[in-house]
């Protein structure tokens, strides 16, 4: 099975922690992290922070090769940073174990991440790697999603959740809406909407790409 975990780490255990230290009021939402052969590229949104301040702080890191401001959506600003392959800590552990970032955001003086691993062996390698690097991790949740069977077809609620997310630009880059805004449409929590959306997408993938 493919494990997914929700973890919390300290601010300074992730390279973007510099922003949280210098700008305590800022909020950061990670869009994705792209590992390349000679660099690592995170794409992320910031709110409650000025563009020039964010760029200046990011450029102070010796690992930063380039900072690009991409766009804004009225409340948030989208940035792309190119780090050298020498970036260590949590990022290195993620790259070494082929972890996929599903969600990530700042929470005061730390970070919440949702990561997907190819296998439980890779998850164990990740935890061992973080222990070796003395990166304390709070494991909040672990679960094992699976493809639905024929008897577990997409529900009407899941179908509606996917359609609404698509129509409102949730799958666009940059995103046209947030998980919180979508959840508000149905009067449910972010977590409940996220689960509904993921299960619906899982059913969609199974029925269109997996099932023979």
């Amino acid at each position: 099975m493919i494990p997914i975990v929700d973890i919390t780490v300290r601010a300074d255990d992730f390279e973007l922690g510099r922003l949280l230290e210098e700008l305590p009021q800022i909020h950061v939402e990670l869009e994705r992290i792209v590992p390349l052969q000679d660099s690592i590229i995170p794409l992320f949104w910031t709110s409650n922070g000025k563009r020039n301040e964010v760029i200046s702080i990011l450029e102070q890191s010796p690992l930063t090769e380039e900072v690009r401001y991409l766009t804004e959506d009225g409340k948030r600003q989208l940035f792309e940073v190119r780090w050298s392959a020498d970036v260590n800590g949590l990022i290195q552990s993620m790259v070494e174990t082929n972890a996929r970032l599903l969600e990530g955001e700042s929470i005061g003086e730390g970070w919440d991440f949702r990561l997907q691993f190819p296998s439980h062996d890779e998850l164990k390698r990740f935890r061992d790697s973080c222990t070796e690097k003395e990166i304390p991790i709070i494991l909040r949740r672990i679960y094992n999603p699976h493809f639905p069977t024929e008897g577990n077809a997409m529900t009407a609620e899941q179908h509606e959740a996917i359609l609404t997310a698509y129509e409102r630009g949730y799958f666009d880059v940059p995103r046209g809406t947030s998980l919180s805004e979508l959840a508000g449409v149905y009067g449910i929590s972010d977590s409940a909407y996220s689960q509904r959306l993921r299960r619906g997408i899982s059913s969609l993938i199974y029925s269109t790409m997996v099932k023979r």
Side-chain angles (χ1 to χ4, degrees):
M1 294 211 175
I2 298 176
I4 294 177
V5 297
D6 292 341
I7 64 172
T8 298
V9 299
R10 301 174 305 193
D12 59 0
D13 286 323
F14 184 59
E15 181 63 20
L16 290 179
R18 292 171 177 267
L19 291 176
L20 309 188
E21 294 172 1
E22 299 291 332
L23 303 172
Q25 79 283 359
I26 200 170
H27 183 251
V28 181
E29 299 172 72
L30 282 124
E31 189 74 27
R32 64 175 179 266
I33 295 178
V34 181
L36 302 177
Q37 184 173 1
D38 58 352
S39 60
I40 307 293
I41 301 178
L43 188 71
F44 60 94
W45 294 92
T46 67
S47 53
N48 302 325
K50 295 181 180 179
R51 182 198 309 181
N52 293 339
E53 290 179 329
V54 171
I55 293 175
S56 176
I57 292 169
L58 293 173
E59 289 179 337
Q60 291 173 23
S61 170
L63 296 172
T64 298
E65 297 180 343
E66 182 183 13
V67 181
R68 295 179 59 202
Y69 166 77
L70 301 179
T71 188
E72 64 180 63
D73 66 0
K75 296 181 179 179
R76 304 177 302 168
Q77 299 177 325
L78 184 64
F79 294 89
E80 179 183 274
V81 179
R82 181 181 290 269
W83 290 327
S84 74
D86 296 328
V87 64
N88 205 328
L90 187 72
I91 287 291
Q92 185 182 53
S93 296
M94 290 171 60
V95 172
E96 290 174 348
T97 57
N98 299 304
R100 179 186 176 194
L101 174 73
L102 300 182
E103 296 177 20
E105 67 175 326
S106 61
I107 49 160
E109 298 180 353
W111 299 91
D112 276 354
F113 292 105
R114 174 164 292 172
L115 305 176
Q116 176 181 303
F117 293 87
S119 67
H120 279 276
D121 287 340
E122 293 287 43
L123 171 56
K124 183 179 184 303
R125 283 185 58 215
F126 172 77
R127 297 180 68 175
D128 291 344
S129 176
C130 289
T131 298
E132 291 174 3
K133 295 179 175 64
E134 298 183 345
I135 302 174
I137 290 179
I138 298 175
L139 179 61
R140 304 194 318 276
R141 184 183 180 192
I142 178 170
Y143 57 100
N144 301 288
H146 59 278
F147 287 122
T149 64
E150 291 185 15
N152 188 21
M154 186 188 304
T155 67
E157 289 181 339
Q158 292 165 0
H159 180 277
E160 189 175 13
I162 294 175
L163 188 59
T164 300
Y166 176 79
E167 291 175 341
R168 297 188 178 223
Y170 182 73
F171 301 112
D172 295 346
V173 178
R175 285 179 174 166
T177 188
S178 68
L179 198 62
S180 295
E181 291 172 337
L182 290 170
V185 173
Y186 297 96
I188 58 178
S189 68
D190 295 8
S191 176
Y193 190 90
S194 177
Q195 291 180 29
R196 187 178 297 181
L197 188 62
R198 289 198 308 273
R199 288 170 180 164
I201 291 174
S202 180
S203 296
L204 182 62
I205 292 173
Y206 177 82
S207 62
T208 59
M209 301 177 67
V210 178
K211 184 180 178 181
R212 294 291 185 269

